[in-house]
Amino acid sequence: GKDLLPFLTEGFTAAAMAKVGTSALESRKLGYLLESDIVVPHKDEVLFVALNEAKAMAASGWRAPNKRLFPVAGRSGIATIRGSLVNMRDGGFISDHDQHIATLIAEIVCGGDVDAGTLVSEEYLMALERKA
């Protein structure tokens, strides 16, 4: 029952302006990483840590969450994001190409040509992604 647009527009602003995290701490501040995400400081240890995490999850009985439907922002969300992208492009903050790519992404994460609040599946969004 919450408004999805503040969540979406914040992420789109960061993505459209190509904000990158130069460290794990900065990436967390940008919302790209969760506090619970494991940070491996040395690239040669990534596989070792990943394998140990997978083994620990299996040993603890972890199971993938049940599939469920979730609401999307739909056409109105896409329109709002498109308006923001036009302003960012006209203000010189993003290029035409950035605007194009961000518009495609907006159409996917907002659920495409549906009403706001429509319940969709992950598979539906993945099909939109493949199409884009």
Side-chain angles (χ1 to χ4, degrees):
K2 297 202 178 224
D3 186 13
L4 299 173
L5 281 177
F7 169 75
L8 288 174
T9 53
E10 182 179 323
F12 263 88
T13 301
M17 295 181 71
K19 289 185 182 178
V20 296
T22 58
S23 69
L25 295 176
E26 189 176 348
S27 294
R28 280 194 173 119
K29 287 180 186 173
L30 289 169
Y32 299 153
L33 293 177
L34 300 174
E35 288 298 323
S36 59
D37 287 338
I38 297 171
V39 175
V40 181
H42 196 282
K43 66 179 178 65
D44 291 339
E45 296 176 358
V46 171
L47 183 58
F48 175 79
V49 172
L51 287 171
N52 283 332
E53 283 297 309
K55 289 175 184 176
M57 290 169 70
S60 70
W62 184 89
R63 297 288 179 259
N66 291 331
K67 293 184 178 189
R68 63 183 178 86
L69 300 178
F70 48 91
V72 291
R75 286 183 294 276
S76 60
I78 295 168
T80 300
I81 291 172
R82 280 185 177 165
S84 295
L85 292 170
V86 167
N87 289 337
M88 290 167 56
R89 185 205 58 210
D90 292 350
F93 295 103
I94 63 172
S95 68
D96 287 337
H97 181 71
D98 293 333
Q99 179 189 3
H100 173 70
I101 298 299
T103 299
L104 291 174
I105 295 169
E107 291 171 359
I108 296 163
V109 300
C110 289
D113 190 19
V114 298
D115 293 331
T118 298
L119 298 176
V120 302
S121 67
E122 185 177 344
E123 290 80 10
Y124 171 80
L125 294 179
M126 292 175 80
L128 288 178
E129 183 180 4
R130 283 189 298 276
K131 183 179 174 187

